[in-house]
Amino acid sequence: MSKHTVDYNASQDYKTYKLLGAVLVALGGIGVLGAFQADVYRSWHWLLIMFLFLVSIGLGNLFLIALEYLVNANWSTPIRRISESLSGVLVPAAGFALVMLAFGSHKLFHHWIEPPDAIVQGKVSYLNMQFFTVRVILCFGAWLLFRALFLKNSRAQDKDGDQVYTRNNVKYSTVFMLVFAISISVAAMDWIMSLDPHWFSTMFGVYYFAGTLVSAVSVLTLFTIHLREKGYLPGVSRDTYYSLGLMMFAFNTFWAYIAFSQFMLIWYANLPEETLWFIKRWEGGWMYVTCALMIFHFVLPFFLLLSRTVKTIPSFLAFMARWLILAHFLDLYWLVMPNYIPKEGASVFGLVDISFIVLAIGCIMLWFHKECSKANLMPIKDPKLQMGLEFKL
Amino acid sequence: MSNRKLHSITALFDTPDSIMHAAEAVRDAGYQKFDVNTPYPLHGMDDAMGLKPTLLPFTTLFFGLTGLAIAVGFQWYTSGDSIGAISGTTLGLPYWLERYPLVIGGKPLFSLPAFVPVMFELTVLLAALGTVACLIAIFCKLPANGHPLHDSRYMEATSCDRFGLCIEASDPLFDEAKVKAFLEKLGGKDIELIYEAPKLQISPVSTMGFVTVLAVIAIGASGKTWFIYNIMLYQAPWTWMDIQPKAKPQAEMAYLPSGLAMLPPVPGTVARNFMPYAYSSQPEKAGEMLSNPYPKTSESLAKGKTLYNIHCSVCHGYQASGDGRLKGQFPNPPSLHSEKSKNWNDGQFFHVITEGQNVMSGYAKHISVEDRWHIVNYIRALQRALDAKETDLQ
């Protein structure tokens, strides 16, 4: 068995990410400011979409870290640092959450902040600004706390290679999984479902979770492939690419399964208070967005990622990862935007809308670079690293 | 022994690492027809042997899509509108081609969301069954279920604790002495020559005779069962009360005048608890002729109130002033507190509830005769309540 030499230090050069990230943030920021000048309500909704995307990436990668510890996976150990760095995106996401709480809440959640109607009146004990703020702070507090714990142990292990750090992280992951399951459902209900407070779906948390995983694995794949092709991750093999492609494929199918389950139950029961949410997304131009979501988030990626061979082709896998990232944006757009523009013809993307996507991608790059420079790019003394590098299908 | 054809030369190795290196060496030496037998799957062996991807996934895809197509087609056909209704003719379709246009839950006949679970299940089912069937029938070359390597010391060892490699004689580079030396050089032990069986091994299970015997047994067993349960058990005098001289509903019965077992009611029959309404389209006459048989007791008013709130208040409003909850969506009903309404007889109210008026439809099917009178009593009470007289205060 061949031994891979692992020789890293923290000062490796990722200037590309820093420069490109800064340019994207600057461009996106200007675009966003312009968008706020043009249409305040639409811009707040787009900011919410961007925020949810950042949460998807950060929280999804935090979930992948915990999952690796919990199931004792070793194939993903060499690329765990990328997940750890990507989970840093939760920090700007928390910033955007505070901005929205402070300035945008009346633009986004006016349905239940302003004097509520009879139906919302019954939900007021949950849907009120004080409790909402508490929940947001608790969720972000828990996520950032567990992120700090995972990263502290993981980085400390780089110095002496003590196995205690791994065991501690396994314990934290056990608790985190419970916290994660509750907090992501709460976040999905608070930030998306409460935009339309008359409607409810008990599956909604799982739906957002499924989309989160698709986009998190896609971003992880994209960064892994890019760094590997630049030569930063020696020893990461095609078999790891295949596993990442498999996760993309599996979670994308899971997303479709959950999305359809949610739709079919509501469609079958045909209760007015539940169907109105889907009817809104089937009227006028939204019908095309819904069809596009079905085709571009499930049908085409399903068949494109089906073959075993294509999952080991880096360029194709990177292409599919970009595709699924944009598909997740489309998913969030479909979830959030009809609450602002339910009328025909308003579902078209504008140029200013792209600036929010640009800003999100810039944020991810900047924070990825920032976190990456703090530690080695691989957990060099992790006991599972050697097995991960020798991983074969 | 020597007159039989050589099938392959085998060698045994002791560790996974050594077999992996041996496989790489054999691959690099240019051999193509060789195989590795290990007691458990070795990760990375596909690469070491230089195996090409198998075609099996395509059979899975094919069968999966077939299942999908069958599910869509079958559900579309069976739940569609009948052929006769579409073409406007009476095509004499055999009964097993008849369609079942059943409206379920108010959904359209072709409801894709309801079909998706079946599509999913059939896709998975056919993909799985098809893959296994193809694996066994095509890739394992079914009629022959034996292999020269079976019953050899080599197979005994590799299915227990050792790792084996065999190079087949059909390989273009094969040369008995060279291969033997090559395997020895790689560190292979217990080198064994495997010979073909005198002829292709065909299991007795797949011979024509055996299949015929199976078919005869199957037909015989099912025929016997059919005979017992349909003929033998019903030989007289054992009829098991199955044959009875009785008319079954919705069946033909030739000796009745109508030819139907279920006799249609005699014209003019009145169902029990159902009195035809005598003053249809004659509101004035109803007002003259009908009188309210129920006094305005508190029970009658309470019942009338409940029924009024259920059936009438939607349009007329709880106070009967024409401000119901559907106000604005339909032409508003007039207030029941007008002079015209107050001057109506009870019978006229009864008539309107029974047959409707203008936009209002008749409620004869929903509200019984007795309940209609209770509602009339309650309307009277409402009229009185909004126009109380001084004597009411005493």
Side-chain angles (χ1 to χ4, degrees):
Chain A
M1 290 264 163
S2 57
K3 296 274 182 230
H4 295 278
T5 51
V6 183
D7 180 24
Y8 297 105
N9 55 52
S11 65
Q12 269 179 332
D13 182 28
Y14 313 107
K15 284 236 170 65
T16 327
Y17 289 138
K18 193 176 188 180
L19 287 175
L20 193 56
V23 169
L24 289 180
V25 166
L27 282 178
I30 294 167
V32 167
L33 288 178
F36 269 94
Q37 296 295 319
D39 189 339
V40 177
Y41 277 85
R42 189 184 168 85
S43 301
W44 278 114
H45 282 82
W46 256 108
L47 199 72
L48 178 63
I49 293 173
M50 198 195 88
F51 158 78
L52 288 167
F53 181 76
L54 292 181
V55 171
S56 290
I57 305 302
L59 193 56
N61 276 292
L62 201 56
F63 172 80
L64 291 176
I65 299 167
L67 194 63
E68 188 201 305
Y69 280 114
L70 206 56
V71 302
N72 200 14
N74 50 44
W75 69 269
S76 60
T77 306
I79 55 171
R80 197 183 67 225
R81 275 288 147 80
I82 299 173
S83 280
E84 288 175 7
S85 303
L86 282 171
S87 68
V89 178
L90 281 173
V91 176
F96 285 119
L98 290 180
V99 169
M100 276 189 287
L101 274 180
F103 306 110
S105 54
H106 280 269
K107 308 281 191 303
L108 289 169
F109 307 116
H110 53 87
H111 287 295
W112 52 267
I113 289 180
E114 281 153 25
D117 59 29
I119 297 174
V120 182
Q121 196 71 53
K123 307 181 178 182
V124 120
S125 53
Y126 184 85
L127 284 181
N128 60 71
M129 213 53 215
Q130 291 80 22
F131 192 27
F132 184 88
T133 315
V134 169
R135 287 197 302 271
V136 171
I137 291 169
L138 278 182
C139 282
F140 270 100
W143 299 338
L144 292 173
L145 170 75
F146 276 101
R147 174 171 182 274
L149 288 173
F150 288 140
L151 262 66
K152 195 193 77 181
N153 279 326
S154 176
R155 285 174 183 173
Q157 201 169 39
D158 274 8
K159 296 197 179 73
D160 52 12
D162 195 343
Q163 291 194 12
V164 169
Y165 296 121
T166 303
R167 282 206 289 277
N168 283 344
N169 268 358
V170 171
K171 278 179 209 155
Y172 296 147
S173 327
T174 321
V175 184
F176 174 73
M177 280 299 169
L178 282 174
V179 173
F180 172 80
I182 295 166
S183 61
I184 194 170
S185 307
V186 167
M189 284 192 284
D190 279 358
W191 290 103
I192 314 175
M193 215 160 91
S194 80
L195 292 173
D196 193 350
H198 287 191
W199 183 74
F200 55 89
S201 158
T202 44
M203 289 186 76
F204 199 75
V206 188
Y207 178 81
Y208 178 63
F209 163 69
T212 291
L213 276 183
V214 176
S215 58
V217 173
S218 302
V219 172
L220 174 63
T221 309
L222 200 54
F223 274 97
T224 305
I225 291 174
H226 191 253
L227 287 170
R228 174 72 180 91
E229 300 304 311
K230 292 272 175 197
Y232 284 120
L233 293 169
V236 170
S237 64
R238 294 287 158 102
D239 294 334
T240 308
Y241 287 173
Y242 172 79
S243 303
L244 286 168
L246 191 68
M247 299 251 285
M248 268 159 63
F249 175 74
F251 286 135
N252 198 44
T253 312
F254 176 66
W255 173 87
Y257 176 77
I258 294 297
F260 179 74
S261 302
Q262 175 170 281
F263 169 72
M264 196 187 73
L265 292 178
I266 289 172
W267 175 85
Y268 237 127
N270 207 11
L271 301 174
E273 71 259 38
E274 291 177 347
T275 48
L276 98 176
W277 197 80
F278 281 106
I279 287 169
K280 204 187 250 180
R281 281 154 182 79
W282 197 249
E283 279 173 345
W286 286 110
M287 194 174 84
Y288 302 108
V289 180
T290 310
C291 290
L293 188 68
M294 288 192 266
I295 293 167
F296 290 104
H297 205 316
F298 173 61
V299 178
L300 289 181
F302 179 83
F303 285 104
L304 288 173
L305 279 170
L306 195 55
S307 157
R308 177 176 170 158
T309 325
V310 298
K311 293 196 199 88
T312 57
I313 304 171
S315 55
F316 184 79
L317 208 54
F319 168 71
M320 286 315 294
R322 289 193 184 99
W323 176 319
L324 287 177
I325 290 165
L326 289 180
H328 186 55
F329 260 116
L330 183 63
D331 184 18
L332 292 173
Y333 180 78
W334 179 79
L335 288 174
V336 170
M337 239 11 178
N339 296 304
Y340 160 62
I341 34 172
K343 292 288 177 302
E344 199 173 340
S347 58
V348 187
F349 278 99
L351 267 180
V352 276
D353 297 346
I354 295 172
S355 60
F356 288 91
I357 301 178
V358 169
L359 183 59
I361 293 168
C363 278
I364 292 171
M365 283 190 171
L366 267 190
W367 258 268
F368 180 76
H369 172 266
K370 182 169 163 287
E371 294 293 328
C372 262
S373 1
K374 287 182 187 168
N376 299 319
L377 197 50
M378 273 194 195
I380 48 171
K381 290 199 175 157
D382 193 295
K384 292 186 295 183
L385 181 67
Q386 196 56 39
M387 279 167 84
L389 289 172
E390 284 165 8
F391 169 70
K392 291 258 186 265
L393 282 175
Chain B
M1 206 69 168
S2 56
N3 57 353
R4 280 159 65 183
K5 207 173 150 233
L6 186 67
H7 175 265
S8 57
I9 299 180
T10 66
L12 290 170
F13 296 82
D14 286 332
T15 64
D17 272 6
S18 56
I19 189 77
M20 200 74 96
H21 289 304
E24 280 166 4
V26 173
R27 175 197 68 193
D28 293 342
Y31 291 102
Q32 280 159 13
K33 300 221 157 198
F34 71 102
D35 205 354
V36 168
N37 299 84
T38 57
Y40 53 85
L42 287 181
H43 291 291
M45 185 50 91
D46 287 10
D47 282 344
M49 288 174 68
L51 286 183
K52 291 193 185 69
T54 159
L55 286 174
L56 195 58
F58 288 96
T59 65
T60 314
L61 182 68
F62 171 76
F63 280 102
L65 291 177
T66 309
L68 189 72
I70 289 175
V72 177
F74 189 74
Q75 292 182 97
W76 164 78
Y77 186 81
T78 52
S79 62
D81 223 337
S82 70
I83 302 285
I86 295 169
S87 57
T89 56
T90 47
L91 288 171
L93 279 179
Y95 70 92
W96 49 270
L97 271 180
E98 201 41 81
R99 304 170 92 179
Y100 293 82
L102 302 176
V103 176
I104 297 163
K107 306 283 191 252
L109 290 177
F110 184 82
S111 304
L112 202 56
F115 296 170
V116 166
V118 179
M119 285 153 61
F120 171 74
E121 297 294 343
L122 216 57
T123 306
V124 173
L125 180 74
L126 252 70
L129 291 183
T131 309
V132 173
C134 278
L135 176 74
I136 294 172
I138 299 174
F139 292 85
C140 297
K141 305 180 175 72
L142 184 64
N145 68 346
H147 194 277
L149 284 176
H150 289 174
D151 301 325
S152 63
R153 280 189 294 116
Y154 167 80
M155 192 50 73
E156 208 173 283
T158 58
S159 54
C160 183
D161 61 349
R162 298 181 77 189
F163 305 85
L165 192 148
C166 76
I167 299 178
E168 289 175 19
S170 52
D171 193 281
L173 295 177
F174 188 81
D175 179 275
E176 198 179 325
K178 266 191 196 165
V179 168
K180 250 186 181 172
F182 181 53
L183 287 174
E184 266 164 11
K185 203 186 95 197
L186 286 174
K189 293 167 195 157
D190 300 330
I191 289 174
E192 192 181 354
L193 297 179
I194 306 284
Y195 291 93
E196 299 264 13
K199 58 175 183 174
L200 184 66
Q201 290 181 349
I202 293 184
S203 152
V205 174
S206 28
T207 55
M208 206 55 212
F210 186 74
V211 172
T212 315
V213 169
L214 272 190
V216 168
I217 291 174
I219 293 169
S222 44
K224 173 212 74 180
T225 313
W226 180 85
F227 176 77
I228 290 174
Y229 283 106
N230 292 281
I231 310 284
M232 200 182 93
L233 284 182
Y234 295 102
Q235 293 303 308
W238 297 294
T239 61
W240 308 102
M241 296 176 83
D242 194 58
I243 303 161
Q244 295 179 11
K246 71 176 181 189
K248 291 189 175 170
Q250 298 185 4
E252 285 182 29
M253 193 146 284
Y255 54 82
L256 286 174
S258 65
L260 305 169
M262 248 184 350
L263 292 180
V266 181
T269 309
V270 174
R272 293 179 70 157
N273 295 327
F274 177 83
M275 280 304 285
Y277 185 54
Y279 307 106
S280 183
S281 318
Q282 296 166 297
E284 283 78 20
K285 196 163 184 206
E288 281 170 35
M289 303 298 286
L290 288 171
S291 63
N292 192 339
Y294 295 92
K296 294 184 179 61
T297 58
S298 61
E299 290 85 25
S300 169
L301 288 176
K303 199 165 185 195
K305 181 180 183 183
T306 313
L307 292 161
Y308 178 88
N309 287 349
I310 292 171
H311 295 288
C312 320
S313 71
V314 182
C315 297
H316 287 281
Y318 289 111
Q319 311 298 332
S321 27
D323 57 347
R325 300 189 287 289
L326 288 179
K327 193 177 182 182
Q329 302 192 30
F330 294 97
N332 284 354
S335 165
L336 296 183
H337 300 293
S338 62
E339 283 306 311
K340 182 187 156 200
S341 301
K342 279 183 197 161
N343 293 333
W344 270 12
N345 292 324
D346 282 1
Q348 270 170 292
F349 279 109
F350 182 86
H351 177 85
V352 172
I353 300 175
T354 309
E355 296 222 311
Q357 177 181 295
N358 302 333
V359 183
M360 175 176 167
S361 59
Y363 278 75
K365 284 180 182 165
H366 307 283
I367 311 174
S368 69
V369 173
E370 184 193 335
D371 289 346
R372 275 174 246 164
W373 287 116
H374 290 314
I375 292 175
V376 172
N377 279 344
Y378 182 65
I379 293 172
R380 288 294 183 209
L382 282 176
Q383 288 178 340
R384 184 69 174 272
L386 285 199
D387 186 19
K389 299 185 172 70
E390 280 185 25
T391 48
D392 294 344
L393 296 171
Q394 289 162 7

